[in-house]
């Protein structure tokens, strides 16, 4: 029924949330006015409550986690030696990536 509802709306150039009770029988006689509540995009998104879902609360949680991860990565990157420190040999195990002459060939 959802496909028929979308096709009905597309054929008329209307959004799903513009459907009225009068439209429902033309889509399918089994549709009742209660269906209009489930078609509301905000309600449909909010109903998806699983971890990682599209519910607004879950999206806010994911954005907060993403912000924490970005902050941690920025902190990590800020602590890494770069530029002149690597050229002076202070780069630890990462030094070889910046000094091709020091890379030893690997045995097959």
């Amino acid at each position: 029924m959802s496909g028929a509802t979308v096709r009905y709306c597309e054929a008329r150039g209307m959004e799903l949330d513009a459907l009225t009770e009068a439209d429902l029988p033309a889509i399918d006689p089994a549709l009742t006015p209660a269906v209009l509540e489930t078609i509301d995009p905000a309600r449909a998104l909010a109903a998806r409550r699983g971890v990682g879902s599209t519910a607004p609360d879950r999206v806010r949680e994911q954005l907060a986690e993403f912000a924490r991860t970005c902050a941690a990565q920025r902190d990590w990157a800020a602590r890494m030696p770069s530029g002149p420190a690597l050229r002076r040999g202070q780069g630890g195990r990462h030094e070889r990536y910046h000094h091709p002459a020091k890379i030893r060939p690997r045995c097959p």
Side-chain angles (χ1 to χ4, degrees):
M1 279 193 224
S2 59
T5 305
V6 170
R7 284 189 297 277
Y8 179 88
C9 289
E10 285 180 345
R12 287 155 184 78
M14 62 192 290
E15 297 293 325
L16 284 171
D17 58 358
L19 282 173
T20 65
E21 289 183 35
D23 295 310
L24 299 179
I27 298 167
D28 189 301
L31 293 177
T32 65
V35 168
L36 294 175
E37 292 179 15
T38 64
I39 292 175
D40 177 39
R43 292 183 99 176
L45 288 175
R48 298 178 176 267
R49 298 182 185 274
V51 175
S53 72
T54 56
D57 290 341
R58 301 295 83 81
V59 171
R60 280 190 284 279
E61 290 170 359
Q62 293 170 58
L63 288 171
E65 179 62 26
F66 179 68
R68 285 190 294 273
T69 300
C70 288
Q73 293 297 316
R74 277 193 298 276
D75 291 345
W76 175 84
R79 291 190 310 271
M80 292 295 106
S82 63
L86 284 174
R87 286 191 289 279
R88 286 193 306 268
Q90 299 170 2
R93 67 185 181 91
H94 300 288
E95 179 181 348
R96 68 179 178 193
Y97 297 112
H98 296 279
H99 296 284
K102 293 185 178 181
I103 297 174
R104 295 190 175 120
R106 294 183 181 194
C107 296

